[in-house]
Amino acid sequence: MTQTNSKPAVVSQAELAKQQQYIRQLQQMLPKLYTSPKALVRTFGCQQNVADGQRLKGMLLQMGYTLTTDVDEADLIIYNTCAVREHAQDRVIGNIGALKHHKRRHPDCIIGVCGCMVQQPHITQRIQKSYPHVDLVFGTHVLHRLPELLYTTLAERRRVFEIPDMDGVIAEGVPVLHDGGVRGWLPVMYGCNNFCTYCVVPYVRGRERSRAPADIENDLRQMLEQGIKDITLLGQNVNSYNGGISFAQLLRRLNDIPGDFVLRFMTSHPKDCTDELLETMATCEKVERHLHLPVQSGNDRVLQAMNRHYDRRRYMELIQTARRLMPDIMLTSDIIVGFPGETYQEFLDTVDLVRRVRYHSLYTFIYSPRVGTPAAKMDDPVSREEKGRWFKELCDAQEQISAEICSQQVGKVFRALIESPGRQPGVSQCRTLCNQIIEIPAAPDLIGTFQNVQITAGENWILKGTII
Ligand code: 5AD
Ligand code: SF4
């Protein structure tokens, strides 16, 4: 099991006080620059990025901005970006390009770009040269320094680029805007040490570092006080958490905090999925019965080329143990189709594994080469069109399994948290401990309550139910 550093670099109190000082200076400066300063934060990518976006918004509110989703009225726009696949990155770059017109119409608007994408030097150089309307670029390790960086941009009227290449730090005490209703995101560890050969994350998010259990407990208590009842513990490799206690021990400690709430976690790596973790899940009543356990491939040669540190047999053992301990567990996974050098026969091993495991759902991706990763230098003879056909074959197989599992749910009763209004009036959406979403006829005043819900229909992915 990978050991995370149990004494990671923590941002000092003096540094955080300095940022508070910049916040106070911005509180004075902003009303002189704008009649009513408005900021827009747009987040791309994973839940870790969503959690970062909530910290950006927390700091901006303290500075005196109000938040908007309307680009036209924004005096500050921050794009919080993702780099995991080319497609995600192209989308962001297209969106940044489009802001050129906005800047022409609103020259005083500050445009900022942060997150994983800008932690890659070739992208930052491109922004520097070809996107002169971008004023502020800051990397994943200096998010907590937004007040200082924004102040410098505004006060000195110059472009600011701050992207230190480092292992990463932990910044406690940064204000957070929990804007996810009854759902909340709680980072417990950052970074990744695994260096899967296709993945850019270890290069852009730094080394693994775990937060202290007491800090996580405090955050959880505060979230509960704010009415958040469905909390997802986050980490790029969450189950390699090591803050002096194991991830399983952390889960148990959080489970023991009094209150009616649900604890989820993502993303787990199979190599760190211990029996202790599965037993803890099975015995902690607030911990979800859902395991997102990305397998990536069902073929041992490909798994080795991916540097995944487990083989197909070990993965299947984990699935069996999980199902033995929790017969109702929901299983989901990520799969990469068309890893460099993968043959059709090897791909069929993945389809076979998917049929054996019978996941509730899958996140499937066609391999996307990432600059600087070992896989990007490997021979990749299979065409994009061919990979597209394999991709469809896998999706078709999974669709059938998902539809079967969906229809088998009819008649079952689950305890579920009503979390948000549904797509039609009079309908609400709730989520079970197994992370299944059910639409029920219920008034919005029940949002935030736990109810027993019976599934009445399960077609085309959408489960429908009624409160009993
Ligand atoms: N190409 C395609 N998919 C990727 N993922 C990560 N890197 C790549 C890549 N280069 C997928 C993996 C991971 C998920 C978050 O994104 O399946 O689990
Ligand atoms: Fe994208 Fe990975 Fe960064 Fe999340 S951590 S935003 S998935 S690159």
Side-chain angles (χ1 to χ4, degrees), residues 84-85 198-199 296 334 336 365-368 370:
V84 78
R85 284 172 297 274
Y198 50 80
C199 188
Q296 311 297 359
D334 293 346
I336 296 179
F365 310 103
I366 293 184
Y367 169 73
S368 164
R370 311 311 296 128

Side-chain angles (χ1 to χ4, degrees), residues 46 83-86 197-201 267 292 294 296 308 333-337 363-370 373:
C46 66
V84 78
R85 284 172 297 274
E86 195 71 35
T197 52
Y198 50 80
C199 188
V200 76
V201 170
T267 291
H292 180 61
Q296 311 297 359
R308 289 292 288 174
S333 196
D334 293 346
I335 285 180
I336 296 179
V337 173
Y363 299 87
T364 40
F365 310 103
I366 293 184
Y367 169 73
S368 164
R370 311 311 296 128
T373 59

Side-chain angles (χ1 to χ4, degrees), residues 78-270:
I78 298 183
Y79 280 0
N80 181 22
T81 65
C82 173
V84 78
R85 284 172 297 274
E86 195 71 35
H87 177 68
Q89 199 162 280
D90 287 348
R91 245 184 84 209
V92 183
I93 291 176
N95 277 287
I96 296 172
L99 288 178
K100 199 191 275 176
H101 309 292
H102 177 74
K103 183 81 173 183
R104 218 173 278 144
R105 274 178 280 139
H106 302 273
D108 289 337
C109 175
I110 298 295
I111 296 178
V113 185
C114 66
C116 296
M117 191 180 90
V118 299
Q119 201 65 40
Q120 306 170 101
H122 68 287
I123 295 289
T124 317
Q125 282 157 18
R126 188 165 158 197
I127 295 178
Q128 189 130 30
K129 269 204 205 122
S130 311
Y131 297 85
H133 58 286
V134 174
D135 306 282
L136 170 61
V137 177
F138 54 108
T140 54
H141 304 305
V142 288
L143 191 99
H144 61 281
R145 286 177 52 209
L146 172 66
E148 173 190 351
L149 301 171
L150 185 57
Y151 180 84
T152 310
T153 312
L154 285 165
E156 299 180 16
R157 294 265 152 202
R158 65 174 173 91
R159 300 178 88 192
V160 171
F161 283 65
E162 184 69 15
I163 308 112
D165 179 17
M166 60 198 286
D167 285 350
V169 290
I170 292 181
E172 296 295 353
V174 175
V176 189
L177 172 70
H178 291 294
D179 55 358
V182 294
R183 300 194 80 198
W185 312 106
L186 177 46
V188 301
M189 60 86 69
Y190 306 96
C192 178
N193 289 352
N194 293 325
F195 291 95
C196 300
T197 52
Y198 50 80
C199 188
V200 76
V201 170
Y203 304 91
V204 295
R205 286 276 177 181
R207 298 289 66 75
E208 289 180 1
R209 48 211 188 272
S210 298
R211 297 180 65 202
D215 291 328
I216 299 167
E217 280 173 334
N218 281 342
D219 278 5
L220 178 60
R221 287 206 173 87
Q222 278 178 18
M223 291 165 89
L224 296 175
E225 274 165 24
Q226 290 179 34
I228 297 171
K229 297 195 172 172
D230 185 319
I231 293 123
T232 304
L233 310 179
L234 294 176
Q236 261 88 26
N237 194 6
V238 74
N239 55 341
S240 83
Y241 173 86
N242 181 2
I245 59 175
S246 68
F247 182 62
Q249 287 165 327
L250 176 72
L251 266 184
R252 192 170 293 282
R253 261 170 78 162
L254 299 178
N255 184 76
D256 289 346
I257 291 180
D260 203 3
F261 62 94
V262 173
L263 285 171
R264 310 185 189 278
F265 56 93
M266 66 191 300
T267 291
S268 301
H269 193 299

